[in-house]
Amino acid sequence: MRAKPHHGETSLRSGAAAPAIALTIAGSDSSGGAGTQADLKTFSALGVYGASVIVALTAQNTRAVTAIHDVPLDVVEAQTAAVLDDLDVGAIKIGMLSSPDIVHTVAKALEGYDGPIVLDPVIVSKSGAKLLRDEAIDALVSTLLPRATLITPNLPEAGALLGEPAARDDEEARAQGERLARLGPAVLMKGGHAEGALCTDLLVLPGGGLSRFTAPRIDTPNTHGTGCSLSSAIAAGLAKGLEMEDAVRAAHDWLQGAIRASDRLKVGSGHGPVHHFHQLWSDQEPRDEVMS
């Protein structure tokens, strides 16, 4: 499934260096702040070519998710096969998978893929809507967690995967991360739902290693899509060939900048999105003159 030139190698057709490529397998967000749209924005912001497999369509904005429509299973499988058959995908990010059937379909479609997989177990949206059905959690744990290179749960998601209450402090978060890591993947326990002036993410490795990524907690309501964006930023780093800890650190630093700059966007009236292009867009206000 990885027959095309790896990024940095020369393309026979153009003579140009092939870009790093990452694939997102997730649900869409009609408001553009989370899901597939956030993943593709993140890939682009970090200099990675993004491809996508959409597994569900959602009607949502910064205030609520009002409808979810699952994509037919054969179309999910066909999208995945089409991308992997033609593109040299350096890493895959998996996000919202709403049903057990979709979980099993994605797992089957990825059977021949040998690159890194970042799994973001999206269970509840920022507005509180349930995005992963209860019966799909067991399928996720048994089918995809062992295949993943890294999973990126927040504290409530980690608790749900284990059938336990959410961790209340770093010690409990580390213990839950270690239990999840016994299933195979590295685990990034995200601390955004914890209390305190500092936000700490814990990277727990299957072999027992631990790294901490700490930053001041930013006072803003504009956190729509933070989980999607962090996991896709890590996938972007892995697609470029970074080691796990380096990819997580780079993604963590980039997301902090995206959250700090989020108030500049002024998108929506609820939980607005982070600013994916904070390093690229000009701070200048748009001019009133008509462009010809």
Side-chain angles (χ1 to χ4, degrees):
M1 283 189 179
R2 306 188 68 191
K4 295 295 169 182
H6 290 277
H7 64 84
E9 295 180 5
T10 300
S11 167
L12 295 178
R13 286 182 292 179
S14 66
I21 300 173
L23 168 65
T24 171
I25 302 175
S28 73
D29 172 7
S30 51
S31 71
T36 305
Q37 288 85 342
D39 296 339
L40 292 175
K41 289 175 181 177
T42 300
F43 295 158
S44 293
L46 296 175
V48 172
Y49 182 90
S52 65
V53 170
I54 297 177
V55 303
L57 307 176
T58 71
Q60 67 174 293
N61 53 31
T62 62
R63 298 191 304 269
V65 178
T66 57
I68 298 175
H69 174 70
D70 290 341
V71 172
L73 300 179
D74 60 335
V75 178
V76 172
E77 188 172 4
Q79 290 179 82
T80 309
V83 173
L84 295 180
D85 183 58
D86 185 43
L87 277 62
D88 177 34
V89 175
I92 294 176
K93 175 263 172 79
I94 301 175
M96 171 191 174
L97 303 175
S98 58
S99 73
D101 287 343
I102 290 178
V103 172
H104 289 298
T105 297
V106 169
K108 179 181 178 182
L110 295 180
E111 283 180 352
Y113 180 73
D114 61 359
I117 297 174
V118 178
L119 173 62
D120 185 26
V122 180
I123 295 177
V124 178
S125 73
K126 189 66 64 178
S127 63
K130 194 74 174 289
L131 299 178
L132 182 69
R133 300 168 199 163
D134 290 338
E135 61 269 25
I137 294 178
D138 289 341
L140 196 72
V141 171
S142 63
T143 305
L144 278 177
L145 255 67
R147 291 284 317 283
T149 309
L150 171 72
I151 63 172
T152 60
N154 59 35
L155 299 184
E157 290 166 347
L161 293 174
L162 291 166
E164 302 175 359
R168 294 166 297 181
D169 53 38
D170 280 4
E171 183 177 347
E172 290 185 358
R174 177 176 183 171
Q176 287 191 342
E178 289 174 345
R179 285 197 286 279
L180 287 170
R182 293 189 193 115
L183 298 175
V187 182
L188 183 65
M189 296 287 290
K190 299 180 297 190
H193 285 71
E195 301 293 331
L198 294 178
C199 179
T200 300
D201 297 343
L202 302 178
L203 176 61
V204 181
L205 300 178
L210 177 73
S211 297
R212 296 176 183 270
F213 304 88
T214 301
R217 195 174 298 276
I218 300 169
D219 184 16
T220 177
N222 299 322
T223 54
H224 183 54
T226 49
C228 304
S229 301
L230 178 62
S231 58
S232 53
I234 296 170
L238 295 175
K240 291 179 176 180
L242 295 182
E243 297 296 327
M244 175 68 70
E245 186 171 349
D246 294 334
V248 172
R249 179 178 294 104
H252 184 269
D253 293 345
W254 171 83
L255 182 62
Q256 291 302 308
I259 297 173
R260 283 194 299 270
S262 64
D263 291 347
R264 288 164 26 197
L265 287 179
K266 299 179 175 61
V267 172
S269 56
H271 291 286
V274 303
H275 196 334
H276 296 91
F277 298 109
H278 64 281
Q279 296 174 325
L280 303 174
W281 287 9
S282 171
D283 290 336
Q284 295 179 349
E285 294 295 327
R287 294 177 293 179
D288 293 331
E289 64 190 60
V290 176
M291 302 297 290
S292 58

